[in-house]
Amino acid sequence: LLLTVILAVSAITFGQNKIIHGKDKMTDKEYVITATKLKCLQSDGTSFEISPAFKLKKGELKANGIIVNSTTKSLCSENNVLIFLFEDQSKFQITSFNPYDCSGFSMYMPFEKNMNMFDKKLTAIRLTNGITNETMTYTLTDEDKKYFIEYRELLKKNIFEEN
């Protein structure tokens, strides 16, 4: 009953943003995923999706990184750079750690110590391909500006659903 109340409150407070923990029935591997990704669409048809990554350690949520999937002109990349611009004009920059990849996937770590930066609204996110220097800048809508704040609050309160 208590879990139901907590989940109901979190759904009201955080809308569609949820953290979900589960276990793959075939591999027995545990996973922690976000229910939503921030979709950053460009006028030329390219886009990137971004979401925080989490892990569960002894029943407690921990920030684990940022995951980006992009559909750029050149999917191959390495050392991609993400720059976050906040409403107060402060910036946070992080470089992907994964090796050369042609799937459009990039991962940014470590992130746990930087999650506190996301207690204020974002105004823009820029993704730069580390090979081609192609950039995509997304200006966030009013609704999107709170995306990371909401996940940060779920993390702080250790609120997640079991799948």
Side-chain angles (χ1 to χ4, degrees), residues 37 49-53 65-69 105-108:
K37 293 179 170 77
E49 291 182 335
I50 186 170
S51 63
I66 296 176
I67 299 170
V68 174
N69 287 301
F105 173 84
S106 53
M107 183 78 178
Y108 301 79

Side-chain angles (χ1 to χ4, degrees), residues 20-78:
I20 302 165
H21 171 258
K23 189 173 186 178
D24 186 297
K25 291 176 184 167
M26 301 300 283
T27 64
D28 291 330
K29 290 185 180 180
E30 289 189 63
Y31 61 86
V32 180
I33 59 171
T34 59
T36 59
K37 293 179 170 77
L38 182 59
K39 292 172 179 35
C40 306
L41 305 173
Q42 307 295 294
S43 59
D44 66 357
T46 60
S47 66
F48 61 98
E49 291 182 335
I50 186 170
S51 63
F54 300 98
K55 62 184 174 185
L56 198 60
K57 193 171 186 176
K58 296 181 182 175
E60 188 176 339
L61 285 172
K62 301 284 184 188
N64 196 36
I66 296 176
I67 299 170
V68 174
N69 287 301
S70 60
T71 58
T72 61
K73 294 170 188 139
S74 171
L75 286 178
C76 296
S77 65
E78 68 180 328

Side-chain angles (χ1 to χ4, degrees), residues 84-103:
F84 296 90
L85 176 63
F86 297 94
E87 278 190 340
D88 66 0
Q89 299 305 301
S90 63
K91 297 176 184 102
F92 172 64
Q93 180 174 315
I94 191 167
T95 302
S96 65
F97 78 90
N98 52 307
Y100 183 81
D101 179 80
C102 291
S103 69

Side-chain angles (χ1 to χ4, degrees), residues 10-11 13-19 34-37 143 146-151 154 161:
S10 68
T13 306
F14 302 107
Q16 298 299 314
N17 291 341
K18 298 176 192 165
I19 301 171
T34 59
T36 59
K37 293 179 170 77
E143 184 178 324
K146 296 181 283 181
Y147 177 81
F148 280 96
I149 293 172
E150 291 175 1
Y151 275 114
L154 291 171
E161 293 182 15

